[in-house]
Amino acid sequence: MKRLACVTIDLDGLSHYAAIHAMPEGTLPASAEDLVDRVAIDRFLELCGNQQVPGTLFAIGNDLRDHGKASLRRAVENGHEVGNHTFWHRYALWQKGLSDVATDISRGADALEAATGVRPRGFRAPGYTFTAEMYRALVEQKYAYGSSVFPAAPYYVAKAVVLALQNLVGRQSASSLDRPRVLTAPLEPYRPDPAEPYRKGDGAVVELPITVEPLTRFPFIGTFVCTLPAMVVFSIYRNIVRQPFLNLELHGADLLDESDGTGSALPQLQRDLRVPATDKLARLAEVIRRIKQDYEVVTLLKASAQVA
Ligand SMILES: [Zn+2]
C-alpha cells in the first residue's frame, strides 16, 4: 500500500461546544453560532489551497447556513471531499436504535447533497462514538468508508475525569464516555466486525481510524497539534510517520479565536480558542508541509478505495 495521508476537519458549530461544557442556554452570543459555517470553512479551504492538498470536510446537515453551503459547493468543485457528520450531531446517537440512527445519517446526506450536488460516501460519528447500529446503517446506505474510530488512551482518561467532575458539581454535559473497547481498536485502516465495529472483521464498509501516536496512543488531532510546543508536536510526529497511513483530524474551532466573536464564556472553558487563529494556522501549515514530504495527501474517499 502507498503511504497515504488525509487532512480532515469536523465542522461542529460552537453551540455543540457550549453543550459539551454544559454552558447554560443563551451564554453563547448569537453571532458565535455560525462562526464555523461563516469563517472556519473558508479558512480551512485557504489552508488546503495554499498547501495544495485536498481536504475532507465532515459537515452537519442542521448546522449549514447559506455561507457554509456555498463554501462546501466550492470545496467540491475544487477537488475536496464533503463527508457526512449526521444531521443533528447528537452526542447520544450511540444510545439510539437502527431506524433513528439511519434517519439521522440519511437526512444528513440529503442536506449535503442538496448543498453540494454530491451525495457523501464517507461518515464520521458525533463525539467519536461508533456503534454496530451506525455501522449497519452505513452498509445499508452503501457508504464507501467510516472514519470515527479514535483509539486515544489519554483522551479517554481525560474525558472520564472531566465528566466525573462535572457530575460532582451537578452539571450535565451533552458528551458521554465511549465503550472501553475503543482503546484496543486497530490504529490502521481495517474492515470492522459488523457486531462490534471496534474489532476487525469482514464488514463491507472500511474504517479509517483517526491517527494517534502508536506507543502512547496520544491523539494527533488539531487541538494538540495547534497548541502544544512545536518540539513536542514534531517529536510525536516522528513516531507517527512510521505508520503507513495518517488521518489528521481538525475541528472548525481550531481555526477560530475569541477575536472572531466567540464571546468570552466559551474560551474560558475551551482554552484553545484563546490561542490566536493566525498562530494555529501557521502551525497547521508547517505540519501539512511535513506530512507532504512523507506521504501522498489524498481525500479519505480516495484512501478508502486503496484499502478496499
Ligand atoms: Zn463533531
Side-chain angles (χ1 to χ4, degrees):
M1 177 172 174
K2 224 185 300 175
R3 292 172 55 79
L4 297 180
C6 302
V7 179
T8 76
I9 186 167
D10 300 355
L11 302 176
D12 305 19
L14 295 187
S15 54
H16 300 292
Y17 289 82
I20 287 179
H21 292 297
M23 280 168 56
E25 195 106 355
T27 324
L28 193 70
S31 59
E33 298 236 332
D34 65 345
L35 266 181
V36 169
D37 191 87
R38 195 157 40 82
V39 178
I41 302 178
D42 292 346
R43 284 186 188 161
F44 178 73
L45 295 177
E46 192 185 340
L47 173 72
C48 290
N50 289 341
Q51 300 307 317
Q52 297 188 301
V53 295
T56 305
L57 302 93
F58 287 97
I60 300 160
N62 189 48
D63 278 14
L64 286 181
R65 303 289 172 266
D66 286 343
H67 189 101
K69 286 178 193 169
S71 299
L72 291 182
R73 195 160 48 239
R74 192 159 48 85
V76 167
E77 284 163 9
N78 287 309
H80 304 287
E81 181 194 349
V82 174
N84 186 356
H85 200 29
T86 73
F87 187 78
W88 294 108
H89 199 271
R90 290 175 294 174
Y91 291 102
L93 191 63
W94 63 276
Q95 293 171 315
K96 307 292 180 191
L98 179 63
S99 78
D100 195 350
V101 166
T103 303
D104 202 341
I105 294 175
S106 64
R107 202 170 160 194
D110 291 344
L112 298 182
E113 187 176 5
T116 67
V118 178
R119 197 156 185 89
R121 307 280 325 277
F123 172 78
R124 180 165 283 161
Y128 307 111
T129 308
F130 194 41
T131 63
E133 285 74 17
M134 294 179 206
Y135 190 77
R136 193 164 155 197
L138 297 190
V139 173
E140 286 173 358
Q141 294 178 33
K142 306 206 179 328
Y143 273 71
Y145 71 89
S147 180
S148 305
V149 172
F150 183 46
Y155 171 83
Y156 186 90
V157 172
K159 193 168 169 185
V161 170
V162 167
L163 288 174
L165 287 175
Q166 284 184 339
N167 244 327
L168 272 178
V169 297
R171 291 166 65 163
Q172 187 62 54
S173 172
S175 172
S176 49
L177 201 60
D178 203 351
R179 316 191 286 295
R181 184 176 274 282
V182 70
L183 298 173
T184 57
L187 304 184
E188 290 295 316
Y190 66 101
R191 283 193 182 280
D193 175 349
E196 173 45 90
Y198 288 154
R199 193 163 59 200
K200 281 187 187 173
D202 61 357
V205 178
V206 295
E207 170 65 24
L208 304 164
I210 293 161
T211 292
V212 300
E213 197 276 335
L215 301 173
T216 59
R217 297 199 164 218
F218 187 84
F220 193 69
I221 60 172
T223 321
F224 299 110
V225 168
C226 290
T227 59
L228 290 175
M231 219 181 70
V232 176
V233 171
F234 287 106
S235 74
I236 294 171
Y237 180 76
R238 273 195 290 279
N239 284 341
I240 284 172
V241 79
R242 293 185 197 144
Q243 304 181 115
F245 174 71
L246 191 160
N247 182 1
L248 174 64
E249 187 220 24
L250 313 174
H251 282 92
D254 294 335
L255 312 183
L256 299 172
D257 65 35
E258 47 189 345
S259 76
D260 289 314
T262 60
S264 56
L266 185 58
Q268 303 285 340
L269 301 161
Q270 190 72 33
R271 307 285 290 191
D272 49 298
L273 283 171
R274 305 179 74 170
V275 180
T278 46
D279 292 357
K280 295 188 283 190
L281 283 159
R283 171 65 61 77
L284 287 172
E286 198 183 342
V287 168
I288 292 172
R289 276 196 295 274
R290 280 288 287 275
I291 291 175
K292 276 179 72 181
Q293 292 170 11
D294 298 314
Y295 295 91
E296 182 188 346
V297 181
V298 296
T299 61
L300 277 170
L301 182 59
K302 199 165 172 198
S304 74
Q306 191 164 326
V307 177

